[in-house]
Amino acid sequence: MFTNELTLPNGNKIPQLSLGTWLIDDGIVADAVKSAISLGYRHIDTAQAYGNERGVGEGIRQSGIAREEIFLTTKIAAENKTYESAARSIDESLSKLGLDYIDLMIIHSPQPWVEVNQSENRYFEENREVWRALEDAYAAGKVRAIGVSNFLKDDLENILKTAKIKPMVNQILCHISNSPLELIDWCTSQGILTEAYSPVAHGEALKNESIIAMAQKYGVSVAQLCIRYCIQLGMIVLPKAAKAEHQKSNAEVDFEISAADMEILKRIERIKDYGEASFFPVFGGKL
């Protein structure tokens, strides 16, 4: 089980491997969370938009592991673009989760989902207001770290202009064949940790012959290679898995990709078609 931790800018530790819960139904996510925790996972990632915070909280409470040993991330829905709606949503998340605090809360997107890839409006003023709500929740002890997701450099610079507290993380789409290396490097230069969601390209990496060949070279699964790749980029990685066998396999990544092979993987031709998932805004489409 890969158990490495990174350190957030405020000194808090964050497990580098997390269980992603996107598209895991609220009715079954508690079992998935309990399974992952029993295997050794100590970081769970959810969001208001996933509609499964209740089940995630139930899984954490029923895990048999002390709350302070588990790192929980959730996200303010992309549609909440006022101080009031963001602040209210934080309290609603705490209520649904049934927990006293959230370890990391982030803005899910700089734009409402219906405008992602469709609008030039980056909601600069609105995002500063949402950030202010996060700063206040942090000061009140409701959340113990704050950050963003899907933010580009311009979006982050906008927050930094007025922030009392700098964003601690930026959760972004990153996988072999689609790695925003310039953004990752810039975030690192600012002291912002990066997190990789969809590290297996929503399953599309499993079909890529170049990635398959590299995985075979190391005697690992494609998913394991993809997760390890993001780990070696210095990122927190969030593979989604509902089944225990997949969770276990995803955590068996204590091998090393050579520097030369990392360079090869960085240059693999970009996956542009995400199959049935292509309509999701994060993969370039529109809901």
Side-chain angles (χ1 to χ4, degrees), residues 4 14 22 35 38 49 58 71 74 119 123 136 144 151 155 191 210 217 260:
N4 193 51
I14 181 170
W22 182 38
S35 166
S38 71
E58 179 185 318
F71 192 102
T74 192
S119 168
Y123 287 80
D136 286 352
R144 297 192 171 181
F151 272 49
D155 301 311
S210 298
K217 174 181 177 179

Side-chain angles (χ1 to χ4, degrees), residues 43 61 71 73 92 96-97 106 110 136 145 163 178 186 227 241 251 262 277 286:
H43 184 177
R61 293 193 308 274
F71 192 102
T73 296
E92 288 170 353
K96 288 177 182 176
L97 288 160
I106 60 184
D136 286 352
N178 188 3
W186 185 84
I227 293 165
M262 281 294 292
K286 183 179 180 182

Side-chain angles (χ1 to χ4, degrees), residues 19-34 44-59 240-243 247:
L19 176 73
T21 64
W22 182 38
L23 301 179
I24 302 180
D25 187 81
D26 191 52
I28 64 170
V29 74
D31 287 338
V33 168
K34 286 187 286 186
I44 311 296
D45 179 274
T46 184
Q48 294 171 356
Y50 299 173
N52 63 10
E53 286 179 316
R54 183 209 61 81
V56 167
E58 179 185 318
K240 170 235 172 181
K243 296 180 179 179
Q247 295 171 352

Side-chain angles (χ1 to χ4, degrees), residues 219-229 249-250 252-253 255:
V220 299
S221 72
V222 170
Q224 288 167 334
L225 182 81
C226 290
I227 293 165
R228 183 68 202 186
Y229 168 81
S249 178
N250 288 346
E252 294 171 346
V253 288
F255 63 97

Side-chain angles (χ1 to χ4, degrees), residues 192-212:
I192 300 169
L193 296 182
T194 51
E195 300 186 320
Y197 67 76
S198 298
V200 192
H202 207 69
E204 292 304 308
L206 304 174
K207 308 170 189 176
N208 185 290
E209 293 300 327
S210 298
I211 301 174
I212 291 168

Side-chain angles (χ1 to χ4, degrees), residues 218 232 257-264:
Y218 283 89
Q232 288 186 215
I257 303 170
S258 72
D261 285 339
M262 281 294 292
E263 291 305 312
I264 291 169

